[in-house]
Amino acid sequence: MVSERLSQQLQFILEIDRLKGVLRRSLLLESRRRENSAEHSWHLAMMALVLAEHANETVNLLHTLKLLLIHDVVEIDAGDTYAYDDDSHDGKIERERTAAIRIFGLLPPDQAAEMTALWEEYEAQQTPEARFALALDRFMPFLHNYHTGGITWRENRVTRAQVEDRMSPVGTGSDALGAAVAAVVEEATASGLLPRSWPNL
Amino acid sequence: MVSERLSQQLQFILEIDRLKGVLRRSLLLESRRRENSAEHSWHLAMMALVLAEHANETVNLLHTLKLLLIHDVVEIDAGDTYAYDDDSHDGKIERERTAAIRIFGLLPPDQAAEMTALWEEYEAQQTPEARFALALDRFMPFLHNYHTGGITWRENRVTRAQVEDRMSPVGTGSDALGAAVAAVVEEATASGLLPRSWPNL
């Protein structure tokens, strides 16, 4: 009744339900609960729909959406890695590669290969779509931090220079979004949310 | 520094963060917390990527993804309407239309018009992409109900006939998924999760 192929596809679809339980550091604007990686991925896809015109290079929208929808799936096994935590980046790529093999491997071989290639393309940052997708992925939590009063910056004593470094791919992907980051950084520093240095404890 | 157009687009992107706070009846497979409409929309988009080959009609994948990503945004104002609650369907379309005008209206006029047209297309069910998108939207909570022990069916005394009626668009969009529904319905009835009738209280 249900083919082996469809059965494998449904197994993958059920498995990725777990991405809804992977929590990021970012807080939602209204409830201030922590965001999960599935709803984050939806939000990024919506950003791509609305902001594609601002990409520096011509991007294929479908391809950009695929990259954004699948790029965090590996976190089901590998967990989310906080942007400003250097230690947790150790071994990140190996953990994620192992996760990609297991999770995408639930799919029929042709689709497993396609999904793995998309994930690797995002990581390698060698195509216009990968660069624009990364720009959105960096820009979004920055906006969230600013609009939730810089709580996660303060908790982690993140400085303006760290944020500017972290946000550099935004301008690579989109001059307009890069300029928006620069404007918000100025405001955040002026209002004390994002200082150049934090006082000694 | 930030154009009026980009400023409107960012306002929309910040506003739709609220979809992450709209709770559905469906439970997540692992934690059994209620699913929100943003993570649900991501999951549907992933289903479209994986299952598009099973659509009865040829569908444009990008167009299908757009329909799925935006179709629940109106719930930010209008709320989620439970499938098996006939009363809450009263006035649903008017509530959602008012929501569409306000929320998509945050965007620049050309994008507001595009998003509104996509939402109306989904509701009207007159295109192959709209039919396939609805099939996925019906199929997903059914799978979730089955794999979480039929809790929401039991709580709401939903019968097999109600589910079969609710699932009829699945077969319209995809014979293969319609057959999968039929197989799971049989299993759910056999195991007592989805009876033909519930005993009187």
Side-chain angles (χ1 to χ4, degrees), chain A residues 5 9 13-14 17-18 20 29-30 33 35-36 38-39 41-43 50 53-54 69 111 144, chain B residues 5 9 13 17-18 20 29-30 33 35-36 38-39 41-43 50 53-54 69 111 144:
Chain A
R5 184 172 173 87
Q9 292 166 328
I13 286 163
L14 291 169
D17 198 59
R18 295 170 61 203
K20 302 167 189 173
L29 299 184
E30 214 168 59
R33 74 158 166 81
E35 186 183 36
N36 71 60
E39 61 198 3
S41 298
W42 167 78
H43 211 165
V50 169
E53 67 192 50
H54 300 294
L69 290 168
Q111 291 189 318
H144 269 79
Chain B
R5 183 172 174 87
Q9 291 166 330
I13 285 163
D17 197 59
R18 294 170 61 203
K20 302 167 189 171
L29 299 183
E30 212 168 61
R33 74 158 166 82
E35 186 184 36
N36 72 60
E39 61 198 4
S41 299
W42 167 78
H43 211 165
V50 169
E53 68 192 48
H54 301 294
L69 289 168
Q111 291 189 319
H144 269 79

Side-chain angles (χ1 to χ4, degrees), chain A residues 67-83:
Chain A
L67 293 174
L68 289 169
L69 290 168
I70 71 107
H71 84 292
D72 272 345
V73 164
V74 295
E75 294 181 359
I76 288 171
D77 287 354
D80 182 53
T81 304
Y82 181 51

